[in-house]
Amino acid sequence: MTMNVSFAIYGILLGSLAVMTWHKARQRLFDEHEEWALRLFGQGSGSFFYRILVAPLFLHLIPQDSGMTRQQFLDWLNIAGWLFWPIPLAISEAYIVWIVRPRCARRQEQDSDVNVLLPGAG
């Protein structure tokens, strides 16, 4: 049941990110559009990330004699079901804060410098 909630949140998140990406592009706010598109791209990797989290269970990387019970197996699937979307979202947000926003700020500074030097430009 709890995995269903997580996957529902993931679906709503994907839809919301897609709408915001489109909305910012329509408003011609391309710096903000880029941020939303990166969040959407990061969440698009969520399904792949889920498979990485559960791969040890299905590729038999955990030894059969490890003592893992069926309940522990199901618990790990539940944990993976809740981790597969917040981790890529956190990575996307970190990339946006540490890489994208400073780059956009530098670009805006350069644009303002051009406007000062060439008042009709831009």
Side-chain angles (χ1 to χ4, degrees):
M1 170 75 178
T2 60
M3 278 179 62
N4 292 342
V5 173
S6 177
F7 280 93
I9 291 170
Y10 177 64
I12 292 168
L13 184 62
L14 275 177
S16 300
L17 292 172
V19 167
M20 287 303 296
T21 300
W22 176 80
H23 182 66
K24 294 301 179 181
R26 294 282 298 165
Q27 290 180 322
R28 304 187 65 76
L29 299 171
F30 294 117
D31 288 341
E32 292 180 36
H33 164 76
E34 180 183 13
E35 290 182 12
W36 286 103
L38 286 167
R39 289 179 185 107
L40 179 60
F41 180 80
Q43 287 306 294
S45 67
S47 297
F48 175 72
F49 193 68
Y50 178 75
R51 281 153 183 80
I52 290 172
L53 290 172
V54 300
L57 299 176
F58 294 104
L59 296 176
H60 303 293
L61 298 177
I62 299 171
Q64 296 297 325
D65 58 354
S66 68
M68 179 179 259
T69 65
R70 178 167 171 72
Q71 186 57 47
Q72 289 170 327
F73 180 86
L74 295 174
D75 288 344
W76 179 250
L77 286 178
N78 246 338
I79 291 168
W82 279 99
L83 289 179
F84 83 98
W85 60 267
I87 291 174
L89 186 60
I91 292 168
S92 298
E93 286 299 321
Y95 182 78
I96 289 167
V97 168
W98 291 328
I99 306 293
V100 175
R101 286 186 183 158
R103 185 183 68 218
C104 290
R106 283 191 304 273
R107 187 172 46 222
Q108 287 175 352
E109 276 181 22
Q110 290 170 349
D111 289 348
S112 66
D113 290 345
V114 169
N115 288 336
V116 169
L117 296 173
L118 304 169

